[in-house]
Amino acid sequence: MSRPDSPQGPDHGRIVGPSKPQSTASTGYPRVNSGLPDSVSIIEVSPRDGLQNESTTLALKEKIRLVEALSEAGLKHIETGSFVNPQRVPPMADSDQLFSAISRAPGVTYSALVPNQRGLARAVAVGASGVAVFAAASGAVA
């Protein structure tokens, strides 16, 4: 016979939660671990991160279809493009046009990745509803 605290004991292989449910999700099921958040935010980055890494550049009309399909699927935050140097990242060269051409669904954030003030100005000019800023650090002192 195994002890209750041994790996072969009665709790092995299952999650044990509080004896009384702390709260319930919209499904009515009790939460197992009250330390978890009640919700999560999903930021869809395929129109930016996914497409900038492809060997061929997707046509603007296909990018528009992708972004609009993602919002129709119910996603609430879509990183739509990036305002980087188009010579360094050619697949993002038409981000200005993309932001201007998409049909925007109510309640959806259409954000952009920006590396600097010039990129931020471009994002603001086309109505990006959010920005993600990236930066690099080095050991060099200026």
Side-chain angles (χ1 to χ4, degrees):
M1 185 156 107
S2 64
R3 297 185 347 231
D5 61 340
S6 75
Q8 292 79 30
D11 294 336
H12 180 67
R14 67 182 178 101
I15 298 172
V16 179
S19 57
K20 287 187 176 182
Q22 301 283 320
S23 64
T24 58
S26 60
T27 61
Y29 293 109
R31 289 185 59 193
V32 174
N33 181 345
S34 63
L36 295 175
D38 290 329
S39 65
V40 296
S41 297
I42 297 173
I43 301 173
E44 174 56 54
V45 298
S46 62
R48 194 272 312 158
D49 189 45
L51 296 181
Q52 80 178 19
N53 293 311
E54 291 297 315
S55 58
T56 58
T57 300
L58 203 61
L60 177 61
K61 67 180 182 176
E62 295 302 318
K63 291 178 184 180
I64 295 167
R65 278 187 28 184
L66 172 61
V67 171
E68 292 176 353
L70 291 169
S71 66
E72 289 170 11
L75 291 162
K76 297 298 182 192
H77 190 155
I78 304 167
E79 195 169 85
T80 305
S82 180
F83 293 98
V84 294
N85 183 331
Q87 293 173 343
R88 293 195 177 238
V89 188
M92 295 292 107
D94 59 0
S95 287
D96 301 87
Q97 296 166 291
L98 178 60
F99 273 90
S100 297
I102 55 174
S103 295
R104 298 179 189 223
V108 176
T109 298
Y110 298 91
S111 65
L113 184 72
V114 299
N116 52 35
Q117 288 181 324
R118 181 182 294 166
L120 177 60
R122 289 174 59 204
V124 169
V126 295
S129 47
V131 294
V133 179
F134 68 91
S138 72
V141 178

